[in-house]
Amino acid sequence: MPLKITPPAGTRTIAGRTLGRGLGAVERTAKQGVRWALGHGIPRTVIIRSSRKGDLQGDLILSGPGSHTFDLVDLFEELRSRGPLYRGGFSHVATDHEVIKEVLTSNDFVTGFFAPDESGTGVLSRAAMWSATDVFAPLQPPSLLATEPPEHTRYRKLVTRVFTVRAVERLRARTEEIARELLDDLEKKAASGADVDLVSGYCGLLPITVISEVLGVPVELRERMLELGKGAALSLDIGLEWRTFREMESSLEAFDTWLRGHLEYLAEHPGDDLLSQLVALRDDGDRLSEKELRSVAGLVFAAGFETTVNLIGNGIALLHDNPEQLAVLKAQPDLWSNASDEILRLDPPVLLTGRVARRDSTIAGQPIPRGTIINTVLAAANRDPAVFTDPDTFDVTRENARDHLSFSSGRHFCLGAALARMEGEIGLRLLFERFPDLKIVGERKRHPTRILRGYSQLRARLS
Ligand code: HEM
């Protein structure tokens, strides 16, 4: 088993930092600088400048790290009051459920900031291509999140061949077993009367243990993977400062190095896991290149634990703060699955996503020129009063809770939605069944990420 994270042969390391094979340090830093400028420095400058002129977008995209989705509700309403499509200095912002669905399902809108320039002749596209690295990054091609048909269709078809609803259902019993083991550990820790942190002791561990088993990743690596995931999660944010950006890229690099070794190992020693099946599919006529396989596998693994932790954590806080809803679930346990969707609706782990117009188009009656970026605020769509009655109320019996857009919509609809729902439901139900009187104590801390939303610490007294 490749337990150690060692750089691949031929990679140079200086003062503990890994350098790309054959790339001079100067060129490497220059490329990193361009990547930062394109994805963070330029957008950040534009957003801050237009914020000074009253643009609401800055409050949304650069909102204080660690802020809570609930802190943004007034902003959603302010944006909504300006019409279905707000025109910001950097991009348009959609808060309307129908409009967001239209953008996400349209063929006129694609993922990736530089996608409209398909010929690759524009300055920004050329700069993006020149500075691209071979390291896995969730928002860089060939990641599923950054590709479009025909490549996207091909990758997605391969993953769904192994990641079926039936495969997820088979995991239900195992997920319950893992949750019970984690709860036993919590109970032991709490026996002395000490408070426990539910994020590091439960919400964080459940999804990574499940996805590690699914993908054949040794469970011993889970603490290290969680640490790398924490750094890599920032890669979804826009406008990172240079230092944070470099730390984030170091985490991605370390993750990528481990992933290369792990895939090589599985190719030689296939197991009974989904990742081994995916590796084997490469020889099935529809071959994925090594880079494509690394990207697909890396995304499924990272998305598998970086988001669901927030569903469970946000759910614990909501149920703790609304004991009458917990009482409803106690009386009608068959509502747990709906409760998991209501939590996803009201406090979604992913704040927003974005698309670019690849041709001139029209949305909500407004002409949208090619190249326009639209930020689709999933958390705002989930509170659209045209779709959800009393949208700010937490109601586990809500009939259309499942109509939220927290898993996106269209071609990029979350591939792990069934798994996440199942883990959310089981994780929350078993926790509150075991500790019905749990009390959150002390300060609730939040992750520093802006797009991914959730708690980094939830201390609780269990009895
Ligand atoms: C509560 C937990 C989760 C939430 C809220 C969530 C949310 C999302 C969202 C919003 C997208 C689409 C982004 C876009 O349209 O630009 C997405 C895509 C994706 N998710 Fe999830 N996710 C969750 C759990 C998972 C899990 C457990 C897995 C893996 C097992 C996973 C794997 C993926 C993959 C592979 C994609 C890319 C799909 C594509 O582009 O075709 N997700 N997720």
Side-chain angles (χ1 to χ4, degrees), residues 184-196 435 460-463:
D184 290 345
D185 290 346
L186 276 185
E187 202 167 335
K188 276 183 215 143
K189 273 190 210 151
S192 61
D195 299 337
V196 292
F435 306 113
R461 194 154 302 149
L462 296 181
S463 58

Short mmCIF file of all heavy atoms in Angstrom, two decimals, residues 184-196 435 460-463:
data_model
loop_
_atom_site.label_atom_id
_atom_site.label_comp_id
_atom_site.label_asym_id
_atom_site.label_seq_id
_atom_site.Cartn_x
_atom_site.Cartn_y
_atom_site.Cartn_z
N ASP A 184 -19.34 5.33 18.94
CA ASP A 184 -18.79 4.62 20.11
C ASP A 184 -17.56 5.37 20.62
O ASP A 184 -17.39 5.55 21.82
CB ASP A 184 -18.36 3.19 19.72
CG ASP A 184 -19.57 2.29 19.43
OD1 ASP A 184 -20.69 2.68 19.80
OD2 ASP A 184 -19.37 1.22 18.81
N ASP A 185 -16.70 5.79 19.67
CA ASP A 185 -15.48 6.53 20.07
C ASP A 185 -15.85 7.83 20.78
O ASP A 185 -15.25 8.19 21.79
CB ASP A 185 -14.62 6.86 18.84
CG ASP A 185 -13.97 5.62 18.26
OD1 ASP A 185 -13.97 4.59 18.95
OD2 ASP A 185 -13.50 5.68 17.10
N LEU A 186 -16.85 8.52 20.23
CA LEU A 186 -17.28 9.79 20.84
C LEU A 186 -17.79 9.53 22.26
O LEU A 186 -17.50 10.28 23.19
CB LEU A 186 -18.42 10.42 20.04
CG LEU A 186 -18.10 11.27 18.82
CD1 LEU A 186 -19.39 11.89 18.28
CD2 LEU A 186 -17.11 12.38 19.16
N GLU A 187 -18.55 8.45 22.40
CA GLU A 187 -19.14 8.14 23.70
C GLU A 187 -18.04 7.89 24.73
O GLU A 187 -18.12 8.36 25.87
CB GLU A 187 -20.03 6.91 23.55
CG GLU A 187 -21.06 6.82 24.65
CD GLU A 187 -22.14 5.79 24.32
OE1 GLU A 187 -22.38 5.49 23.13
OE2 GLU A 187 -22.74 5.28 25.26
N LYS A 188 -16.99 7.17 24.27
CA LYS A 188 -15.86 6.89 25.19
C LYS A 188 -15.21 8.20 25.61
O LYS A 188 -14.92 8.42 26.77
CB LYS A 188 -14.83 6.00 24.48
CG LYS A 188 -15.19 4.53 24.56
CD LYS A 188 -14.11 3.68 23.91
CE LYS A 188 -14.77 2.49 23.22
NZ LYS A 188 -14.16 2.12 21.96
N LYS A 189 -15.00 9.09 24.63
CA LYS A 189 -14.34 10.37 24.94
C LYS A 189 -15.19 11.19 25.91
O LYS A 189 -14.67 11.88 26.77
CB LYS A 189 -14.15 11.19 23.65
CG LYS A 189 -12.88 10.87 22.92
CD LYS A 189 -12.64 11.88 21.81
CE LYS A 189 -11.88 11.20 20.69
NZ LYS A 189 -12.12 11.74 19.38
N ALA A 190 -16.51 11.12 25.71
CA ALA A 190 -17.40 11.97 26.51
C ALA A 190 -17.68 11.36 27.89
O ALA A 190 -18.23 12.03 28.76
CB ALA A 190 -18.71 12.20 25.76
N ALA A 191 -17.27 10.08 28.08
CA ALA A 191 -17.61 9.39 29.34
C ALA A 191 -17.04 10.12 30.55
O ALA A 191 -17.63 10.13 31.63
CB ALA A 191 -17.08 7.96 29.30
N SER A 192 -15.89 10.78 30.37
CA SER A 192 -15.27 11.49 31.50
C SER A 192 -15.94 12.83 31.75
O SER A 192 -15.52 13.59 32.61
CB SER A 192 -13.80 11.72 31.17
OG SER A 192 -13.73 12.51 29.99
N GLY A 193 -16.95 13.15 30.93
CA GLY A 193 -17.64 14.43 31.10
C GLY A 193 -17.06 15.53 30.23
O GLY A 193 -17.53 16.67 30.25
N ALA A 194 -16.01 15.17 29.44
CA ALA A 194 -15.37 16.19 28.60
C ALA A 194 -16.25 16.53 27.39
O ALA A 194 -17.03 15.69 26.93
CB ALA A 194 -14.02 15.67 28.11
N ASP A 195 -16.12 17.78 26.90
CA ASP A 195 -16.82 18.15 25.66
C ASP A 195 -16.07 17.53 24.48
O ASP A 195 -14.87 17.28 24.57
CB ASP A 195 -16.81 19.68 25.49
CG ASP A 195 -17.52 20.36 26.65
OD1 ASP A 195 -18.34 19.70 27.29
OD2 ASP A 195 -17.23 21.55 26.90
N VAL A 196 -16.77 17.31 23.38
CA VAL A 196 -16.11 16.74 22.20
C VAL A 196 -16.35 17.67 21.00
O VAL A 196 -17.35 18.39 20.97
CB VAL A 196 -16.67 15.34 21.84
CG1 VAL A 196 -16.32 14.33 22.90
CG2 VAL A 196 -18.18 15.39 21.63
N PHE A 435 -27.43 10.52 20.92
CA PHE A 435 -27.28 11.61 21.89
C PHE A 435 -28.42 12.63 21.72
O PHE A 435 -28.20 13.75 21.23
CB PHE A 435 -25.94 12.32 21.69
CG PHE A 435 -24.74 11.42 21.74
CD1 PHE A 435 -23.96 11.20 20.61
CD2 PHE A 435 -24.39 10.76 22.92
CE1 PHE A 435 -22.86 10.36 20.64
CE2 PHE A 435 -23.29 9.91 22.96
CZ PHE A 435 -22.52 9.71 21.81
N ALA A 460 -19.41 20.05 21.65
CA ALA A 460 -20.70 19.66 22.20
C ALA A 460 -20.56 18.88 23.49
O ALA A 460 -19.55 18.19 23.70
CB ALA A 460 -21.47 18.83 21.18
N ARG A 461 -21.56 19.03 24.34
CA ARG A 461 -21.68 18.18 25.54
C ARG A 461 -22.71 17.13 25.17
O ARG A 461 -23.83 17.48 24.74
CB ARG A 461 -22.19 19.07 26.69
CG ARG A 461 -22.05 18.45 28.04
CD ARG A 461 -21.95 19.54 29.11
NE ARG A 461 -20.83 20.43 28.88
CZ ARG A 461 -20.81 21.73 29.23
NH1 ARG A 461 -21.86 22.27 29.80
NH2 ARG A 461 -19.75 22.47 28.99
N LEU A 462 -22.33 15.88 25.29
CA LEU A 462 -23.20 14.85 24.72
C LEU A 462 -24.33 14.39 25.65
O LEU A 462 -25.32 13.84 25.19
CB LEU A 462 -22.37 13.65 24.27
CG LEU A 462 -21.38 13.98 23.14
CD1 LEU A 462 -20.60 12.76 22.72
CD2 LEU A 462 -22.09 14.58 21.93
N SER A 463 -24.17 14.56 26.94
CA SER A 463 -25.30 14.15 27.80
C SER A 463 -25.35 15.06 29.01
O SER A 463 -24.38 15.73 29.34
CB SER A 463 -25.13 12.70 28.24
OG SER A 463 -23.89 12.58 28.92
#
